[in-house]
Amino acid sequence: MTEPTFAGQVSRWYEQNARDLPWRAPDVTAWAILVSEVMLQQTPVARVLPAWQAWLDRWPTPAALAGDSPAEAIRMWGRLGYPRRAVRLRECAVAIVERHGGDVPDRLEQLLALPGVGTYTARAVAAFAYGQRHPVVDTNVRRVVCRAVAGEPDAGPATRPADLAATEELLPAEPAAAALASAAIMELGAVVCTARSPRCGVCPVEASCAWRASGQVAPAGPTRRPQRYAGTDRQVRGLLLGVLRESTGPVPHRRLDQVWADDVQRARALAGLVTDGLVEPVGETSFRLIGDGPPAPVVS
Ligand code: SF4
């Protein structure tokens, strides 16, 4: 009998152990998968779950989001963090309506051409929404492949073409099986082969893992510390955005002045929000979320 391949072992484990996440349901739309991939890039699953559902309840299609304002997208994004993603997701929805009649495209080059859709997201949508064979490489996948195949503890700096090639080599030839394997390797990295505490004892590829066989030499570099938030410009931006999100019209400068005592840092944070296309000045003395007001008409 043929030995199961790496992908076969991980896929079988996934079928029995995958977390029950709503964007993995068989009837979920490509749009819902695209939204989940954008939200999950920098936000943990537990925080994404309610936000994803609320987003899709309000905007179940790209056309629905495209017909609303960027300000509303920022409001709905709430406290997921990195709110540029909300604006880019709306721009993406507009492009899907204008270029593809409102349907999320299934060809990789068309996905890659959408605003805010990069190498990872395009391949994730092509694989998970359309069952295609593409290497889908995020941090978790890079770590699993690095450890199990190369025997190295950490993936190190991103080397995109090499990562894609190394992962693609592991995928079965049949597209649906390859898409399943992509999801499975990612899940293994998220819940078993974690950065700090890999649970090799329950890992489906323990017997063949190169890093396990080498005696698991600990990473040579310093352990990364969690990023500080308190007192940073990110915190000030979040406070300013919080006031603007909760207002239905322009907010006077003096109201924004109350959120943070340091004039220089507050001004820098506000200028950053304007530069990033999240906030716009209204006259000389007020600010509002970008495009806050009647939605611009969208031609489909
Ligand atoms: S055996 Fe351990 S290090 Fe190797 S892939 Fe599994 S969890 Fe990761």
Side-chain angles (χ1 to χ4, degrees):
M1 202 170 86
T2 327
E3 284 290 309
T5 60
F6 176 89
Q9 288 173 312
V10 180
S11 297
R12 195 185 316 153
W13 166 86
Y14 178 79
E15 286 174 324
Q16 293 164 359
N17 296 281
R19 290 168 293 175
D20 182 17
L21 299 174
W23 43 83
R24 291 174 175 168
D27 59 346
V28 83
T29 65
W31 169 241
I33 290 173
L34 172 56
V35 172
S36 76
E37 292 297 342
V38 172
M39 288 185 171
L40 287 164
Q41 273 168 33
Q42 283 156 308
T43 309
V45 167
R47 287 175 57 205
V48 165
L49 281 167
W52 177 83
Q53 192 57 61
W55 189 278
L56 291 166
D57 287 347
R58 179 161 180 182
W59 297 307
T61 63
L65 175 57
D68 221 327
S69 68
E72 283 307 299
I74 296 169
R75 283 202 176 89
M76 279 296 285
W77 198 257
R79 298 188 176 280
L80 283 182
Y82 300 99
R84 277 280 300 151
R85 291 181 290 170
V87 176
R88 296 293 276 165
L89 192 49
R90 183 186 165 278
E91 291 169 0
C92 179
V94 171
I96 290 170
V97 170
E98 291 177 348
R99 300 176 199 167
H100 305 290
D103 294 325
V104 177
D106 60 359
R107 283 172 37 202
L108 186 61
E109 62 271 24
Q110 292 176 330
L111 286 162
L112 284 166
L114 293 171
V117 174
T119 302
Y120 166 80
T121 308
R123 285 171 173 77
V125 171
F128 304 148
Y130 295 116
Q132 296 174 13
R133 184 181 188 277
H134 295 289
V136 185
V137 182
D138 71 351
T139 311
N140 289 324
V141 171
R142 289 175 64 231
R143 185 171 56 252
V144 170
V145 173
C146 192
R147 287 177 178 170
V149 178
E152 302 288 339
D154 278 330
T159 52
R160 190 165 294 160
D163 291 336
L164 291 173
T167 305
E168 185 164 16
E169 271 189 30
L170 298 171
L171 299 181
E174 201 271 313
L180 176 66
S182 291
I185 298 169
M186 193 173 298
E187 182 78 343
L188 188 72
V191 302
V192 173
C193 193
T194 59
R196 296 204 179 168
S197 314
R199 297 187 293 130
C200 303
V202 298
C203 179
V205 294
E206 183 191 12
S208 61
C209 174
W211 189 50
R212 183 76 162 156
S214 74
Q216 295 183 333
V217 180
T223 310
R224 259 198 322 176
R225 286 195 198 153
Q227 282 185 340
R228 186 172 66 93
Y229 181 72
T232 62
D233 284 7
R234 266 193 73 210
Q235 183 186 13
V236 186
R237 286 165 60 107
L239 292 169
L240 292 167
L241 216 49
V243 173
L244 291 159
R245 262 200 316 262
E246 284 157 25
S247 304
T248 49
V251 177
H253 211 304
R254 64 176 181 283
R255 168 78 183 87
L256 296 172
D257 289 350
Q258 293 167 13
V259 308
W260 196 256
D262 183 331
D263 292 344
V264 174
Q265 191 177 20
R266 191 181 62 248
R268 188 170 63 226
L270 187 56
L273 290 172
V274 173
T275 304
D276 285 352
L278 295 165
V279 170
E280 59 188 357
V282 182
E284 298 283 311
T285 58
S286 298
F287 288 85
R288 67 179 184 185
L289 293 181
I290 192 84
D292 208 1
V298 174
V299 181
S300 66

